């Protein structure tokens, strides 16, 4: 009996520890228990290290380490950002202190004062980037940073662990890529000879993305700046590609930066062919997606083997390279930052800060409790708070519509929609992979060049289709959730939901494929009559106008909507 009780207690401890590893989601299913017990053992040692000292003062220019030339400008003069004052007042949050095992109770802080003029850089050269890097940026026509870049770059250069949240297509990739290139590789800042002799070996930056397409896109962004002469500094480690060739390239080229998908990075890391103990930067792009259950095991390996968490001393029992690990800077990026990300960032980083467009706030001033998903089935009383992130993830120039049609007429509605809006480059989202082919067939039969893109296709087919779409050889890309995250096709001017997204976060990421970097774009949801209530719920959750429309005689006609009593009541709740 005693043995049975002891065993039960042990099992319970294992489950509790595992939940704390990622601070997200529901407990894993029983079939994962063997992994869980290993993870729990590891976690027990980590838990002791996870308490980090937090500086108690507010985040100021000085705390970010900026020099005199960036001192605050006069308060009463409008600054270059158009703010009435040069100081951004971050409102006091109403969050209560959080108490959860493994996460330190969070104190609500007084309003912060951060100099916004600092983040109003008009050129990349004002951002303290090395001259060689500026030269390369100019060579490819990049001279003016976006808001999120002018905020994130100096913050990352000051070694802060950061969460970068900014709407889709606002340039988050360069926001972390440039500070990395100013510290790693041939374009970096010139170091003193003393520092230069302290040569590091192995990988210095690991960038993780949830899909091959996004991984490859990030690699291309690096290569664009590095040029043919230095492009071997970066190695892609995406799934679906030849693993032996990737391993060979690691051995031969000795890259300093790797970009890949969690599965492939974890796989090669487990073979001992990827040396990441000296890694200084760990970037999780689309972090909220990477925290999903699908990636847990691989992410766990990556988080444990890439450098050492900031503020955590190597454990006394660690031997060999483990004992000599370099402290890493953790950078988490997404247009949507649910509570799971805030919690994870607090646990993995030292004094992490949240960069949101033109502002920087300590993460501890941001609430970290609440549901992690924005399902359209959540009650409307909670939806207001939980969807704040989704609203901020939408590009301001997008127009949102919905049109009602019968299921069998959806493709016809899509054709009319494309013609009425004269859209040149369209991404149409569906939920079921098997139906994509049929939709493409119907579109082609109507004389529209279209192709399908989904995860069941081979790597070559995926990249060929994407290339054709980017080149303008295809007018409509019919796809599933695979393309909702990170895909950057600057010409895309229309996103169509042929099936409804599951929640407002998915709506936001799908919508964000259009209207990139300040361009105009439209999002049209084609739904059945019985689905209109879901669209209205999304509209309420996101706080954006999604107007009812129809397409008649080649024109988009926006209809006036009468709010029913029932809707008004729902809205008041
Ligand atoms: N400062 C800049 N000047 C000109 N173009 C830029 C600049 N910064 C980024 N871009 C371009 O803007 C496009 C969108 O950038 P990026 O893909 O990084 O956006 P994002 O915020 O990561 O979007 P998502 O959330 O959808 O992943 C890219 O084509 C990129 O090359």
């Amino acid at each position: 009996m005693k043995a049975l009780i002891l065993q039960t207690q042990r099992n319970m401890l294992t489950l509790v520890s595992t939940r704390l590893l990622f601070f997200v989601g529901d407990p894993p299913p029983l079939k994962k228990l063997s992994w869980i017990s290993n993870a729990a053992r590891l976690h027990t040692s980590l838990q002791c290290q996870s308490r980090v000292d937090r500086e108690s003062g507010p985040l100021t220019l000085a705390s970010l380490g900026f020099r005199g030339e960036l001192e605050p400008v006069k308060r009463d003069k409008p600054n270059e950002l158009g703010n009435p004052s040069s100081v951004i007042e971050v409102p006091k949050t109403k969050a209560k202190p959080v108490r959860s095992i493994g996460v330190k109770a969070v104190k609500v802080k007084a309003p912060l004062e951060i100099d916004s003029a600092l983040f109003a850089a008009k050129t990349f050269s004002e951002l303290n980037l090395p001259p060689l890097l500026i030269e390369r940026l100019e060579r490819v026509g990049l001279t003016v940073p976006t808001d999120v870049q002018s905020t994130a770059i100096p913050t990352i250069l000051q070694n802060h662990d950061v969460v970068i949240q900014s709407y889709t297509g606002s340039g988050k990739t360069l926001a972390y890529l440039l500070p990395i290139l100013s510290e790693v590789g041939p374009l970096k800042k010139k170091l003193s000879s003393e520092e230069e002799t302290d040569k590091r070996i192995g990988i210095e930056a690991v960038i993780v993305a949830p899909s091959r397409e996004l991984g490859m896109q990030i690699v291309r962004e690096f290569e664009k700046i590095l040029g043919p002469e230095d492009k071997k500094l970066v190695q892609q480690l995406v799934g679906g590609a030849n693993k032996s060739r990737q391993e060979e390239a690691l051995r031969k080229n000795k890259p300093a930066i790797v970009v890949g998908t969690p599965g492939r990075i974890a796989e090669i890391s487990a073979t001992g062919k990827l040396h990441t103990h000296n890694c200084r930067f760990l970037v999780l792009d689309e972090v909220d997606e990477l925290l999903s259950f699908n990636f847990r095991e691989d992410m766990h390996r990556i988080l444990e083997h890439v450098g050492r968490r900031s503020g955590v001393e190597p454990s006394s029992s660690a031997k060999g390279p483990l004992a000599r690990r370099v402290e890493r800077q953790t950078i988490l990026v997404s247009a949507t930052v649910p509570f799971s990300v805030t919690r994870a960032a607090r646990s993995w980083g030292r004094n992490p800060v949240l960069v949101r467009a033109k502002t920087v706030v300590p993460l501890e001033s941001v609430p970290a409790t609440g549901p992690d998903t924005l399902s359209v089935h959540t009650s409307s009383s909670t939806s207001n708070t939980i969807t704040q992130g989704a609203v901020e993830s939408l590009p301001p120039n997008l127009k949102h519509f919905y049109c009602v049609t019968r299921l069998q007429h959806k493709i016809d509605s899509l054709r009319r929609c494309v013609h009425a809006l004269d859209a040149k480059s369209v991404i149409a989202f569906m939920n079921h992979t098997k139906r994509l082919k049929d939709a493409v067939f119907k579109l082609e039969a109507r004389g529209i060049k279209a192709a399908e893109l989904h995860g069941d296709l081979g790597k070559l087919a995926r990249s060929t289709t994407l290339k054709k779409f980017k080149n303008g050889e295809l007018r409509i890309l019919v796809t599933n959730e695979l393309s909702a995250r990170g895909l950057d096709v600057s010409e895309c001017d229309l996103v169509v939901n042929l099936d409804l997204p599951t929640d407002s976060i998915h709506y936001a990421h799908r919508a964000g494929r259009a209207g990139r970097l300040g361009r105009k774009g439209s999002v049209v949801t084609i739904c059945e009559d019985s689905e209109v209530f879901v669209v209205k719920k999304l509209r309420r959750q996101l706080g954006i106008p999604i107007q009812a429309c129809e397409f008649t005689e080649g024109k988009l006609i926006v209809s006036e909507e009468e709010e029913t009593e029932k809707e008004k009541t729902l809205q008041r709740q």
Side-chain angles (χ1 to χ4, degrees), residues 124 142 144-146 149 166-174 217 221 224 286 335 486-488 490 512-513 516-517:
F124 279 113
L142 292 167
V144 183
T146 63
Q149 289 161 4
S166 177
Y167 59 82
T168 51
S170 57
K172 293 186 289 296
T173 316
L174 283 183
Q217 197 174 284
E221 201 86 348
K224 193 164 84 181
E286 305 294 345
L487 193 71
D488 179 50
S490 42
R513 297 316 101 209
R516 301 190 59 81
L517 210 68

PDB file of all heavy atoms in Angstrom, residues 124 142 144-146 149 166-174 217 221 224 286 335 486-488 490 512-513 516-517, ligand 1:
ATOM      1  N   PHE A 124      19.028  53.607 -41.002  1.00  0.00           N
ATOM      2  CA  PHE A 124      19.664  52.503 -40.276  1.00  0.00           C
ATOM      3  C   PHE A 124      20.968  52.963 -39.627  1.00  0.00           C
ATOM      4  O   PHE A 124      21.365  52.454 -38.592  1.00  0.00           O
ATOM      5  CB  PHE A 124      19.935  51.336 -41.226  1.00  0.00           C
ATOM      6  CG  PHE A 124      18.721  50.483 -41.473  1.00  0.00           C
ATOM      7  CD1 PHE A 124      18.127  50.430 -42.715  1.00  0.00           C
ATOM      8  CD2 PHE A 124      18.158  49.727 -40.450  1.00  0.00           C
ATOM      9  CE1 PHE A 124      17.002  49.641 -42.943  1.00  0.00           C
ATOM     10  CE2 PHE A 124      17.039  48.944 -40.659  1.00  0.00           C
ATOM     11  CZ  PHE A 124      16.460  48.897 -41.913  1.00  0.00           C
ATOM     12  N   LEU A 142      18.021  49.135 -48.669  1.00  0.00           N
ATOM     13  CA  LEU A 142      17.367  49.275 -47.357  1.00  0.00           C
ATOM     14  C   LEU A 142      18.012  50.431 -46.602  1.00  0.00           C
ATOM     15  O   LEU A 142      19.179  50.347 -46.207  1.00  0.00           O
ATOM     16  CB  LEU A 142      17.496  47.984 -46.550  1.00  0.00           C
ATOM     17  CG  LEU A 142      16.716  46.779 -47.074  1.00  0.00           C
ATOM     18  CD1 LEU A 142      17.167  45.499 -46.405  1.00  0.00           C
ATOM     19  CD2 LEU A 142      15.220  46.969 -46.862  1.00  0.00           C
ATOM     20  N   VAL A 144      15.709  52.995 -44.650  1.00  0.00           N
ATOM     21  CA  VAL A 144      14.853  53.506 -43.575  1.00  0.00           C
ATOM     22  C   VAL A 144      14.276  52.346 -42.756  1.00  0.00           C
ATOM     23  O   VAL A 144      13.598  51.476 -43.301  1.00  0.00           O
ATOM     24  CB  VAL A 144      13.692  54.349 -44.158  1.00  0.00           C
ATOM     25  CG1 VAL A 144      12.848  54.945 -43.042  1.00  0.00           C
ATOM     26  CG2 VAL A 144      14.226  55.434 -45.070  1.00  0.00           C
ATOM     27  N   PRO A 145      14.545  52.324 -41.452  1.00  0.00           N
ATOM     28  CA  PRO A 145      13.976  51.244 -40.638  1.00  0.00           C
ATOM     29  C   PRO A 145      12.477  51.435 -40.393  1.00  0.00           C
ATOM     30  O   PRO A 145      12.004  52.572 -40.378  1.00  0.00           O
ATOM     31  CB  PRO A 145      14.750  51.345 -39.323  1.00  0.00           C
ATOM     32  CG  PRO A 145      15.227  52.748 -39.257  1.00  0.00           C
ATOM     33  CD  PRO A 145      15.365  53.248 -40.671  1.00  0.00           C
ATOM     34  N   THR A 146      11.770  50.354 -40.219  1.00  0.00           N
ATOM     35  CA  THR A 146      10.355  50.458 -39.828  1.00  0.00           C
ATOM     36  C   THR A 146      10.311  50.763 -38.323  1.00  0.00           C
ATOM     37  O   THR A 146      11.336  50.668 -37.637  1.00  0.00           O
ATOM     38  CB  THR A 146       9.610  49.139 -40.104  1.00  0.00           C
ATOM     39  OG1 THR A 146      10.186  48.123 -39.286  1.00  0.00           O
ATOM     40  CG2 THR A 146       9.714  48.722 -41.563  1.00  0.00           C
ATOM     41  N   GLN A 149      11.610  48.000 -36.178  1.00  0.00           N
ATOM     42  CA  GLN A 149      13.065  47.854 -36.294  1.00  0.00           C
ATOM     43  C   GLN A 149      13.795  48.926 -35.501  1.00  0.00           C
ATOM     44  O   GLN A 149      14.761  48.645 -34.807  1.00  0.00           O
ATOM     45  CB  GLN A 149      13.480  47.920 -37.776  1.00  0.00           C
ATOM     46  CG  GLN A 149      13.063  46.675 -38.549  1.00  0.00           C
ATOM     47  CD  GLN A 149      13.022  46.859 -40.048  1.00  0.00           C
ATOM     48  OE1 GLN A 149      13.378  47.905 -40.578  1.00  0.00           O
ATOM     49  NE2 GLN A 149      12.570  45.837 -40.751  1.00  0.00           N
ATOM     50  N   SER A 166       4.649  42.859 -33.253  1.00  0.00           N
ATOM     51  CA  SER A 166       4.251  43.931 -34.146  1.00  0.00           C
ATOM     52  C   SER A 166       3.429  43.301 -35.259  1.00  0.00           C
ATOM     53  O   SER A 166       3.584  42.117 -35.556  1.00  0.00           O
ATOM     54  CB  SER A 166       5.504  44.594 -34.698  1.00  0.00           C
ATOM     55  OG  SER A 166       5.155  45.586 -35.619  1.00  0.00           O
ATOM     56  N   TYR A 167       2.573  44.104 -35.893  1.00  0.00           N
ATOM     57  CA  TYR A 167       1.644  43.504 -36.850  1.00  0.00           C
ATOM     58  C   TYR A 167       2.355  42.846 -38.027  1.00  0.00           C
ATOM     59  O   TYR A 167       3.527  43.110 -38.305  1.00  0.00           O
ATOM     60  CB  TYR A 167       0.608  44.528 -37.311  1.00  0.00           C
ATOM     61  CG  TYR A 167       1.162  45.757 -37.985  1.00  0.00           C
ATOM     62  CD1 TYR A 167       1.501  45.748 -39.329  1.00  0.00           C
ATOM     63  CD2 TYR A 167       1.332  46.940 -37.265  1.00  0.00           C
ATOM     64  CE1 TYR A 167       1.995  46.879 -39.950  1.00  0.00           C
ATOM     65  CE2 TYR A 167       1.832  48.079 -37.877  1.00  0.00           C
ATOM     66  CZ  TYR A 167       2.164  48.037 -39.220  1.00  0.00           C
ATOM     67  OH  TYR A 167       2.661  49.147 -39.822  1.00  0.00           O
ATOM     68  N   THR A 168       1.625  41.963 -38.673  1.00  0.00           N
ATOM     69  CA  THR A 168       2.175  41.190 -39.786  1.00  0.00           C
ATOM     70  C   THR A 168       2.706  42.132 -40.875  1.00  0.00           C
ATOM     71  O   THR A 168       2.100  43.175 -41.141  1.00  0.00           O
ATOM     72  CB  THR A 168       1.076  40.302 -40.395  1.00  0.00           C
ATOM     73  OG1 THR A 168      -0.054  41.110 -40.672  1.00  0.00           O
ATOM     74  CG2 THR A 168       0.686  39.166 -39.473  1.00  0.00           C
ATOM     75  N   GLY A 169       3.835  41.758 -41.439  1.00  0.00           N
ATOM     76  CA  GLY A 169       4.401  42.546 -42.533  1.00  0.00           C
ATOM     77  C   GLY A 169       5.037  43.851 -42.097  1.00  0.00           C
ATOM     78  O   GLY A 169       5.267  44.732 -42.919  1.00  0.00           O
ATOM     79  N   SER A 170       5.372  43.983 -40.807  1.00  0.00           N
ATOM     80  CA  SER A 170       5.958  45.240 -40.343  1.00  0.00           C
ATOM     81  C   SER A 170       7.490  45.175 -40.273  1.00  0.00           C
ATOM     82  O   SER A 170       8.131  46.096 -39.797  1.00  0.00           O
ATOM     83  CB  SER A 170       5.376  45.629 -38.978  1.00  0.00           C
ATOM     84  OG  SER A 170       5.593  44.585 -38.055  1.00  0.00           O
ATOM     85  N   GLY A 171       8.067  44.055 -40.712  1.00  0.00           N
ATOM     86  CA  GLY A 171       9.532  43.970 -40.785  1.00  0.00           C
ATOM     87  C   GLY A 171      10.188  43.402 -39.538  1.00  0.00           C
ATOM     88  O   GLY A 171      11.311  43.782 -39.197  1.00  0.00           O
ATOM     89  N   LYS A 172       9.540  42.430 -38.907  1.00  0.00           N
ATOM     90  CA  LYS A 172      10.109  41.865 -37.675  1.00  0.00           C
ATOM     91  C   LYS A 172      11.376  41.055 -37.956  1.00  0.00           C
ATOM     92  O   LYS A 172      12.239  40.949 -37.102  1.00  0.00           O
ATOM     93  CB  LYS A 172       9.059  40.989 -36.963  1.00  0.00           C
ATOM     94  CG  LYS A 172       7.885  41.787 -36.415  1.00  0.00           C
ATOM     95  CD  LYS A 172       6.947  40.953 -35.599  1.00  0.00           C
ATOM     96  CE  LYS A 172       6.131  39.989 -36.410  1.00  0.00           C
ATOM     97  NZ  LYS A 172       5.205  40.610 -37.373  1.00  0.00           N
ATOM     98  N   THR A 173      11.471  40.475 -39.168  1.00  0.00           N
ATOM     99  CA  THR A 173      12.644  39.627 -39.456  1.00  0.00           C
ATOM    100  C   THR A 173      13.933  40.443 -39.368  1.00  0.00           C
ATOM    101  O   THR A 173      14.871  40.061 -38.670  1.00  0.00           O
ATOM    102  CB  THR A 173      12.513  38.989 -40.857  1.00  0.00           C
ATOM    103  OG1 THR A 173      11.186  38.515 -41.010  1.00  0.00           O
ATOM    104  CG2 THR A 173      13.491  37.853 -41.051  1.00  0.00           C
ATOM    105  N   LEU A 174      13.957  41.591 -40.067  1.00  0.00           N
ATOM    106  CA  LEU A 174      15.181  42.420 -40.008  1.00  0.00           C
ATOM    107  C   LEU A 174      15.404  42.967 -38.598  1.00  0.00           C
ATOM    108  O   LEU A 174      16.539  43.245 -38.224  1.00  0.00           O
ATOM    109  CB  LEU A 174      15.088  43.581 -40.990  1.00  0.00           C
ATOM    110  CG  LEU A 174      15.329  43.292 -42.474  1.00  0.00           C
ATOM    111  CD1 LEU A 174      15.266  44.575 -43.280  1.00  0.00           C
ATOM    112  CD2 LEU A 174      16.669  42.613 -42.694  1.00  0.00           C
ATOM    113  N   GLN A 217      12.632  31.481 -46.135  1.00  0.00           N
ATOM    114  CA  GLN A 217      12.457  32.930 -46.343  1.00  0.00           C
ATOM    115  C   GLN A 217      13.429  33.723 -45.471  1.00  0.00           C
ATOM    116  O   GLN A 217      14.021  34.711 -45.915  1.00  0.00           O
ATOM    117  CB  GLN A 217      11.020  33.271 -45.962  1.00  0.00           C
ATOM    118  CG  GLN A 217      10.529  34.598 -46.467  1.00  0.00           C
ATOM    119  CD  GLN A 217       9.050  34.748 -46.135  1.00  0.00           C
ATOM    120  OE1 GLN A 217       8.218  34.152 -46.782  1.00  0.00           O
ATOM    121  NE2 GLN A 217       8.746  35.516 -45.110  1.00  0.00           N
ATOM    122  N   GLU A 221      16.527  36.226 -46.577  1.00  0.00           N
ATOM    123  CA  GLU A 221      16.669  37.583 -46.041  1.00  0.00           C
ATOM    124  C   GLU A 221      18.121  37.805 -45.581  1.00  0.00           C
ATOM    125  O   GLU A 221      18.708  38.843 -45.840  1.00  0.00           O
ATOM    126  CB  GLU A 221      15.688  37.749 -44.866  1.00  0.00           C
ATOM    127  CG  GLU A 221      15.331  39.170 -44.525  1.00  0.00           C
ATOM    128  CD  GLU A 221      14.175  39.762 -45.339  1.00  0.00           C
ATOM    129  OE1 GLU A 221      13.771  39.155 -46.345  1.00  0.00           O
ATOM    130  OE2 GLU A 221      13.711  40.845 -44.961  1.00  0.00           O
ATOM    131  N   LYS A 224      20.358  37.940 -48.728  1.00  0.00           N
ATOM    132  CA  LYS A 224      20.217  39.207 -49.453  1.00  0.00           C
ATOM    133  C   LYS A 224      21.243  40.219 -48.926  1.00  0.00           C
ATOM    134  O   LYS A 224      21.883  40.927 -49.675  1.00  0.00           O
ATOM    135  CB  LYS A 224      18.783  39.730 -49.232  1.00  0.00           C
ATOM    136  CG  LYS A 224      18.372  40.860 -50.134  1.00  0.00           C
ATOM    137  CD  LYS A 224      16.858  41.032 -50.126  1.00  0.00           C
ATOM    138  CE  LYS A 224      16.396  41.876 -48.946  1.00  0.00           C
ATOM    139  NZ  LYS A 224      14.946  42.049 -48.871  1.00  0.00           N
ATOM    140  N   GLU A 286       7.670  33.337 -34.868  1.00  0.00           N
ATOM    141  CA  GLU A 286       6.315  32.787 -34.707  1.00  0.00           C
ATOM    142  C   GLU A 286       6.284  31.948 -33.425  1.00  0.00           C
ATOM    143  O   GLU A 286       5.858  30.800 -33.411  1.00  0.00           O
ATOM    144  CB  GLU A 286       5.898  31.937 -35.915  1.00  0.00           C
ATOM    145  CG  GLU A 286       5.981  32.631 -37.262  1.00  0.00           C
ATOM    146  CD  GLU A 286       4.998  33.787 -37.433  1.00  0.00           C
ATOM    147  OE1 GLU A 286       4.045  33.882 -36.627  1.00  0.00           O
ATOM    148  OE2 GLU A 286       5.207  34.611 -38.327  1.00  0.00           O
ATOM    149  N   ALA A 335       3.481  38.205 -34.393  1.00  0.00           N
ATOM    150  CA  ALA A 335       2.481  39.274 -34.464  1.00  0.00           C
ATOM    151  C   ALA A 335       1.466  39.098 -33.345  1.00  0.00           C
ATOM    152  O   ALA A 335       0.806  40.043 -32.930  1.00  0.00           O
ATOM    153  CB  ALA A 335       1.790  39.252 -35.824  1.00  0.00           C
ATOM    154  N   GLY A 486       3.924  33.976 -41.509  1.00  0.00           N
ATOM    155  CA  GLY A 486       5.219  34.467 -41.980  1.00  0.00           C
ATOM    156  C   GLY A 486       5.402  34.598 -43.480  1.00  0.00           C
ATOM    157  O   GLY A 486       6.312  35.281 -43.926  1.00  0.00           O
ATOM    158  N   LEU A 487       4.556  33.930 -44.277  1.00  0.00           N
ATOM    159  CA  LEU A 487       4.762  33.948 -45.728  1.00  0.00           C
ATOM    160  C   LEU A 487       4.737  35.383 -46.246  1.00  0.00           C
ATOM    161  O   LEU A 487       3.769  36.109 -46.026  1.00  0.00           O
ATOM    162  CB  LEU A 487       3.668  33.118 -46.400  1.00  0.00           C
ATOM    163  CG  LEU A 487       3.919  32.784 -47.865  1.00  0.00           C
ATOM    164  CD1 LEU A 487       5.035  31.760 -47.996  1.00  0.00           C
ATOM    165  CD2 LEU A 487       2.649  32.251 -48.506  1.00  0.00           C
ATOM    166  N   ASP A 488       5.814  35.774 -46.927  1.00  0.00           N
ATOM    167  CA  ASP A 488       5.934  37.164 -47.354  1.00  0.00           C
ATOM    168  C   ASP A 488       5.897  37.257 -48.876  1.00  0.00           C
ATOM    169  O   ASP A 488       6.882  37.004 -49.548  1.00  0.00           O
ATOM    170  CB  ASP A 488       7.262  37.733 -46.810  1.00  0.00           C
ATOM    171  CG  ASP A 488       7.472  39.170 -47.231  1.00  0.00           C
ATOM    172  OD1 ASP A 488       6.544  39.980 -47.044  1.00  0.00           O
ATOM    173  OD2 ASP A 488       8.552  39.484 -47.765  1.00  0.00           O
ATOM    174  N   SER A 490       5.080  40.175 -51.204  1.00  0.00           N
ATOM    175  CA  SER A 490       4.747  41.594 -51.062  1.00  0.00           C
ATOM    176  C   SER A 490       3.608  42.028 -51.974  1.00  0.00           C
ATOM    177  O   SER A 490       2.844  42.932 -51.643  1.00  0.00           O
ATOM    178  CB  SER A 490       5.986  42.454 -51.296  1.00  0.00           C
ATOM    179  OG  SER A 490       6.707  41.967 -52.379  1.00  0.00           O
ATOM    180  N   GLY A 512      -2.907  38.806 -42.542  1.00  0.00           N
ATOM    181  CA  GLY A 512      -1.624  39.508 -42.648  1.00  0.00           C
ATOM    182  C   GLY A 512      -0.782  39.129 -43.844  1.00  0.00           C
ATOM    183  O   GLY A 512       0.277  39.708 -44.070  1.00  0.00           O
ATOM    184  N   ARG A 513      -1.244  38.170 -44.645  1.00  0.00           N
ATOM    185  CA  ARG A 513      -0.487  37.864 -45.883  1.00  0.00           C
ATOM    186  C   ARG A 513      -0.693  38.981 -46.896  1.00  0.00           C
ATOM    187  O   ARG A 513       0.061  39.104 -47.856  1.00  0.00           O
ATOM    188  CB  ARG A 513      -0.930  36.524 -46.502  1.00  0.00           C
ATOM    189  CG  ARG A 513      -0.710  35.267 -45.686  1.00  0.00           C
ATOM    190  CD  ARG A 513       0.635  35.212 -45.031  1.00  0.00           C
ATOM    191  NE  ARG A 513       0.528  35.589 -43.608  1.00  0.00           N
ATOM    192  CZ  ARG A 513       1.503  36.164 -42.910  1.00  0.00           C
ATOM    193  NH1 ARG A 513       2.644  36.462 -43.475  1.00  0.00           N
ATOM    194  NH2 ARG A 513       1.335  36.475 -41.636  1.00  0.00           N
ATOM    195  N   ARG A 516       1.143  44.067 -46.824  1.00  0.00           N
ATOM    196  CA  ARG A 516       2.428  44.019 -46.126  1.00  0.00           C
ATOM    197  C   ARG A 516       3.216  45.306 -46.290  1.00  0.00           C
ATOM    198  O   ARG A 516       3.163  45.949 -47.324  1.00  0.00           O
ATOM    199  CB  ARG A 516       3.233  42.803 -46.607  1.00  0.00           C
ATOM    200  CG  ARG A 516       2.439  41.548 -46.324  1.00  0.00           C
ATOM    201  CD  ARG A 516       3.134  40.266 -46.505  1.00  0.00           C
ATOM    202  NE  ARG A 516       4.316  40.019 -45.721  1.00  0.00           N
ATOM    203  CZ  ARG A 516       4.327  39.594 -44.459  1.00  0.00           C
ATOM    204  NH1 ARG A 516       3.172  39.448 -43.800  1.00  0.00           N
ATOM    205  NH2 ARG A 516       5.458  39.341 -43.841  1.00  0.00           N
ATOM    206  N   LEU A 517       3.891  45.666 -45.255  1.00  0.00           N
ATOM    207  CA  LEU A 517       4.740  46.860 -45.212  1.00  0.00           C
ATOM    208  C   LEU A 517       3.993  48.104 -45.712  1.00  0.00           C
ATOM    209  O   LEU A 517       4.465  48.824 -46.583  1.00  0.00           O
ATOM    210  CB  LEU A 517       6.006  46.615 -46.053  1.00  0.00           C
ATOM    211  CG  LEU A 517       7.243  47.369 -45.563  1.00  0.00           C
ATOM    212  CD1 LEU A 517       7.719  46.832 -44.233  1.00  0.00           C
ATOM    213  CD2 LEU A 517       8.366  47.282 -46.572  1.00  0.00           C
TER     214      LEU A 517
HETATM  215  N1  LIG B   1      13.219  48.729 -43.480  1.00  0.00           N
HETATM  216  C1  LIG B   1      12.709  48.125 -44.533  1.00  0.00           C
HETATM  217  N2  LIG B   1      12.694  48.736 -45.739  1.00  0.00           N
HETATM  218  C2  LIG B   1      12.164  48.120 -46.810  1.00  0.00           C
HETATM  219  N3  LIG B   1      11.631  46.877 -46.783  1.00  0.00           N
HETATM  220  C3  LIG B   1      11.625  46.212 -45.622  1.00  0.00           C
HETATM  221  C4  LIG B   1      12.156  46.798 -44.434  1.00  0.00           C
HETATM  222  N4  LIG B   1      12.019  45.922 -43.434  1.00  0.00           N
HETATM  223  C5  LIG B   1      11.419  44.832 -43.951  1.00  0.00           C
HETATM  224  N5  LIG B   1      11.181  44.991 -45.255  1.00  0.00           N
HETATM  225  C6  LIG B   1      10.483  44.038 -46.137  1.00  0.00           C
HETATM  226  O1  LIG B   1       9.127  43.975 -45.686  1.00  0.00           O
HETATM  227  C7  LIG B   1       8.591  42.682 -45.892  1.00  0.00           C
HETATM  228  C8  LIG B   1       7.907  42.191 -44.621  1.00  0.00           C
HETATM  229  O2  LIG B   1       8.871  41.952 -43.640  1.00  0.00           O
HETATM  230  P1  LIG B   1       8.803  40.700 -42.640  1.00  0.00           P
HETATM  231  O3  LIG B   1       8.503  39.449 -43.390  1.00  0.00           O
HETATM  232  O4  LIG B   1      10.011  40.732 -41.795  1.00  0.00           O
HETATM  233  O5  LIG B   1       7.518  41.087 -41.792  1.00  0.00           O
HETATM  234  P2  LIG B   1       6.981  40.414 -40.450  1.00  0.00           P
HETATM  235  O6  LIG B   1       6.630  41.522 -39.528  1.00  0.00           O
HETATM  236  O7  LIG B   1       7.957  39.400 -39.967  1.00  0.00           O
HETATM  237  O8  LIG B   1       5.641  39.706 -40.955  1.00  0.00           O
HETATM  238  P3  LIG B   1       4.904  38.371 -40.385  1.00  0.00           P
HETATM  239  O9  LIG B   1       4.372  38.702 -39.031  1.00  0.00           O
HETATM  240  O10 LIG B   1       3.837  38.111 -41.374  1.00  0.00           O
HETATM  241  O11 LIG B   1       5.937  37.295 -40.329  1.00  0.00           O
HETATM  242  C9  LIG B   1       9.747  41.815 -46.358  1.00  0.00           C
HETATM  243  O12 LIG B   1       9.666  41.672 -47.752  1.00  0.00           O
HETATM  244  C10 LIG B   1      10.989  42.614 -45.998  1.00  0.00           C
HETATM  245  O13 LIG B   1      12.081  42.363 -46.866  1.00  0.00           O
END
